[in-house]
Amino acid sequence: MPLMHLRVLHNIDRRRTTSNDLKYAAGDRLAEVFDHHFSADDNTTAEHAAEWAFLTFSAPIERLEDHREQGSGEVAFVVGCLYRLLGLRSLYIGDVVEVRTGQDSTWLACDPKGWRRIGEPAVFDGEPLSADRIYRALASGRPE
């Protein structure tokens, strides 16, 4: 089973006038907000991983809880809870995920009807998930 690394980047330049304006455009500023390593089977595509992320980071926690006993439902529930405990908003149109297997990266932008492959974004910052980040969030008494 290959090990995959999924990074979630929120678009902080999204314009909110029409649904097309919500889409990621080259040059939009992105903030890395979360990452997750997982074992995938040989048939898992980057789009499958992105769709899992969308459901995990957008579905109500109660829905994730209802599916804990199905397949990777427990992992989705725990990871989804951590994402929300950090105070992160839902994954949404205009946001971007990177799915990396070994040295190969696939960048995907969330569009109104699925995922669109894009080149590596030029403008992003943020902080990957780390013990230090979790401790800071716990010490502050509020999500990051």
Side-chain angles (χ1 to χ4, degrees), residues 11-83:
N11 191 326
I12 54 178
D13 274 349
R14 265 199 316 244
R15 297 150 304 278
R16 297 188 178 270
T17 54
T18 69
S19 62
N20 274 346
D21 288 337
L22 295 175
K23 289 182 179 181
Y24 169 78
D28 282 357
R29 290 178 303 139
L30 302 170
E32 180 177 350
V33 296
F34 199 82
D35 66 307
H36 174 62
H37 298 264
F38 62 98
S39 294
D41 63 40
D42 292 331
N43 298 321
T44 301
T45 65
E47 287 80 5
H48 290 134
E51 192 59 27
W52 177 88
F54 183 82
L55 294 171
T56 302
F57 303 139
S58 299
I61 294 174
E62 295 82 7
R63 180 170 175 223
L64 297 174
E65 183 179 35
D66 289 343
H67 294 84
R68 287 176 75 178
E69 295 180 12
Q70 299 174 0
S72 64
E74 182 68 9
V75 171
F77 176 70
V78 171
V79 170
C81 286
L82 176 58
Y83 186 87

